[in-house]
Amino acid sequence: MNDVIPATPREAFDLLTAGNARFAAGTPRHPNQDAARRVDTASAQRPHAVLLGCSDSRLAAEIIFDQGLGDLFVVRTAGHAVGPEVLGSIEYGVSVLGCPLVVVLGHDACGAVAATRDAVREGTAARGFLRDVIERVTPSVLAAQAAGVSEDEGFIATHVRHTVDLVMDRSRELADQVAAGRTAVVGLTYRLAEGSVRTVTSRGLDVPSDPAPATASTPGNR
């Protein structure tokens, strides 16, 4: 079980990354998933992180971070697209539930990012409400293209960074919590085949981040 509830952004981050390391190594503990935990969390919840991730079926947060019932407050949309409901959900997790960490989780082979790249390249518009998702992802795709990014990894990392910037810029509540040191925001990318996460950006928490992927104009890039 997760015996100690993380009280700081660092503790929450370390707990999640340790859980992901177990999952990637094939040695998960499956904590907080028994009947006792179900009963303990029936009357109240005390999650230690808000996780904004993609709706992709391969990105089940509690599984890839080896967490259990009541550990994560999860918000998922295709391409982790951000609208008012998403921002409100994040603010609820931070200000009402007291989560010390917000994670934005992207992943390789993201269908929403791929669809947006195709729409931008071909100048076409999606049908129905998928258009709204593509419109929310488009600024990230355009920024990656402007920077000379050509690989999938670069587009995903750029979209995660832009999402972190967006939630920080649009949510005064979240920005204030981060400024006060009560919460931090971390952007991660997940590799489907490896099962591991990498940090690409952070706000309010000093953690090493992977360097930005090389672009077509970067010397030595192949």
Side-chain angles (χ1 to χ4, degrees), residues 13 18 43 47 52 61 82 86 90 99 108 116 119 147 177 190 193 208:
F13 179 77
S43 60
L52 169 58
V82 176
V86 169
I90 293 173
C99 295
D108 58 351
T116 303
Q177 294 275 359
Y190 175 77

Side-chain angles (χ1 to χ4, degrees), residues 22-125:
R22 294 193 302 270
F23 170 75
T27 57
R29 297 176 184 169
H30 306 293
N32 297 332
Q33 297 180 19
D34 57 8
R37 179 65 169 183
R38 186 180 69 232
V39 173
D40 288 343
T41 57
S43 60
Q45 59 174 320
R46 295 184 62 190
H48 47 259
V50 177
L51 192 138
L52 169 58
C54 180
S55 297
D56 194 292
S57 62
R58 301 163 292 182
L59 211 67
E62 286 86 356
I63 295 177
I64 67 175
F65 288 105
D66 196 23
Q67 302 297 298
L69 294 172
D71 290 334
L72 301 177
F73 189 74
V74 181
V75 184
R76 297 175 67 183
T77 63
H80 50 85
V82 176
E85 297 86 354
V86 169
L87 291 168
S89 297
I90 293 173
E91 290 185 352
Y92 182 85
V94 169
S95 61
V96 178
L97 300 179
C99 295
L101 183 68
V102 175
V103 174
V104 175
L105 181 65
H107 67 98
D108 58 351
C110 178
V113 173
T116 303
R117 290 174 66 182
D118 290 343
V120 170
R121 181 176 61 248
E122 299 168 7
T124 57

Side-chain angles (χ1 to χ4, degrees), residues 54 79-81 104-122 134 136-165 187-191 200-201 211-217 221:
C54 180
H80 50 85
V104 175
L105 181 65
H107 67 98
D108 58 351
C110 178
V113 173
T116 303
R117 290 174 66 182
D118 290 343
V120 170
R121 181 176 61 248
E122 299 168 7
I134 288 177
R136 295 185 191 281
V137 179
T138 293
S140 299
V141 168
L142 293 177
Q145 290 180 337
V149 172
S150 58
E151 301 297 326
D152 179 66
E153 181 180 1
F155 278 92
I156 299 303
T158 299
H159 185 40
V160 169
R161 293 189 185 97
H162 272 238
T163 303
V164 170
D165 290 343
L188 306 177
T189 58
Y190 175 77
R191 293 193 170 186
V200 297
T201 189
T215 65
S217 60
N221 181 53

